[in-house]
Amino acid sequence: SVPWRQRYGVATAHPGAVYLASLQFSVGMLTGADMTLSAGNTLERLFLIVMMVVGFLVCSMIVSQILLTMQKLTQDMSEFMEDTRAIREFMVSRGVSMVLQTKVKRYMEYQFKSRKVVHQNHKVMMKLSPFLRQEIQEHMNKGVFERHPFFANMDESLFSEICCVGHSVLYAPGDVVMRKGKLSTSLMFLVRGQLQIWDVLPGQHVTVRPPSWLNDRGLFVQSVRRQTVVATSHSEL
């Protein structure tokens, strides 16, 4: 039998030309395109069969990985669109005003965009051991809680436990964060966004930006809120 390089007249050709011919043959096997080279003996046929099977498996793996990646990229968006559609149908059936529908839609969009930033991911966290969950929560909340003087010099073991109590809440523009006259039993840290405290003095409002905290008195004693606090932008507390 005559080797393929002699059969196709490339035995004395430049190595680059031989490489290109081999590359064309390989790409043809992987993609199913027309191959100008063909097997001329039993050994070459066996090699071709094996490489075609390997090429099929490799292409299948590559395509499956591409599809899996695309599915992951679109899964969150599909779930968001389904949730948006469901809540829109609910509000329409209940006769909710367009103004309120718009507010709900904007909040859900903000929540979706913030899904990787907000500290809460219960499904993933619950797969971890209690000790690892505590370490992660301490890492996420430590920098926020240490801003308050009460926590700055706290015992490390106690501070670690307190970090596990905190959780994130998202607010949309116009949402009431605190309402005047209501009982207050919690301390709030503004992580992102902007709030406005109404009527600090008669007719005067105060704008609050991060890093800051609100209602630290409620951490120690049960008290009544003296002002109403409203979110003026998408905020995280």
Side-chain angles (χ1 to χ4, degrees):
S1 61
V2 181
W4 74 271
R5 288 191 298 175
Q6 296 180 7
R7 192 165 63 249
Y8 289 98
V10 294
T12 59
H14 189 274
V18 178
Y19 175 78
L20 286 176
S22 301
L23 181 61
Q24 180 185 6
F25 178 75
S26 302
V27 173
M29 283 194 302
L30 291 174
T31 60
D34 183 31
M35 296 180 293
T36 57
L37 306 179
S38 60
N41 54 53
T42 302
L43 184 61
E44 290 181 356
R45 289 189 181 92
L46 288 174
F47 175 78
L48 180 60
I49 292 171
V50 172
M51 292 307 299
M52 290 179 71
V53 173
V54 172
F56 172 76
L57 295 176
V58 171
C59 286
S60 299
M61 292 177 61
I62 293 175
V63 171
S64 65
Q65 288 299 317
I66 293 175
L67 292 176
L68 183 60
T69 302
M70 295 300 296
Q71 182 180 4
K72 289 181 179 179
L73 291 175
T74 58
Q75 182 178 3
D76 289 347
M77 179 59 72
S78 298
E79 292 178 356
F80 167 70
M81 296 300 294
E82 179 62 25
D83 292 342
T84 303
R85 183 193 61 80
I87 192 66
R88 183 174 63 250
E89 291 179 353
F90 169 77
M91 291 189 294
V92 170
S93 66
R94 297 290 182 172
V96 177
S97 66
M98 288 301 299
V99 174
L100 183 53
Q101 288 187 41
T102 303
K103 289 180 62 177
V104 171
K105 181 176 180 293
R106 289 177 178 173
Y107 175 80
M108 293 185 68
E109 290 174 349
Y110 171 68
Q111 188 180 48
F112 175 73
K113 293 177 181 178
S114 304
R115 66 192 186 281
K116 294 182 180 179
V117 180
V118 178
H119 295 165
Q120 300 300 317
N121 196 333
H122 298 290
K123 292 182 179 179
V124 176
M125 294 286 285
M126 292 308 296
K127 295 181 180 179
L128 304 178
S129 66
F131 182 75
L132 288 177
R133 288 201 299 269
Q134 180 175 340
E135 283 194 318
I136 291 176
Q137 288 178 314
E138 180 179 357
H139 169 76
M140 294 189 299
N141 295 327
K142 182 178 180 180
V144 177
F145 288 0
E146 282 181 336
R147 298 169 185 168
H148 195 285
F150 179 75
F151 300 111
N153 299 314
M154 182 174 287
D155 178 74
E156 184 175 349
S157 59
L158 178 59
F159 183 67
S160 178
E161 294 293 332
I162 291 178
C163 287
C164 298
V165 178
H167 63 276
S168 296
V169 180
L170 298 178
Y171 290 91
D175 285 354
V176 176
V177 178
M178 299 180 183
R179 192 177 297 275
K180 182 179 180 180
K182 296 291 185 179
L183 288 178
S184 175
T185 58
S186 61
L187 167 63
M188 296 185 179
F189 290 87
L190 179 59
V191 179
R192 289 184 297 145
Q194 181 175 288
L195 306 177
Q196 191 174 73
I197 305 176
W198 289 359
D199 296 326
V200 176
L201 293 175
Q204 295 186 10
H205 306 327
V206 173
T207 299
V208 180
R209 298 181 178 88
S212 57
W213 61 81
L214 301 169
N215 197 50
D216 50 355
R217 178 181 173 85
L219 185 65
F220 307 100
V221 295
Q222 194 175 66
S223 59
V224 177
R225 293 168 178 166
R226 299 177 180 178
Q227 289 91 20
T228 296
V229 180
V230 178
T232 56
S233 67
H234 290 289
S235 306
E236 178 187 355
L237 283 83

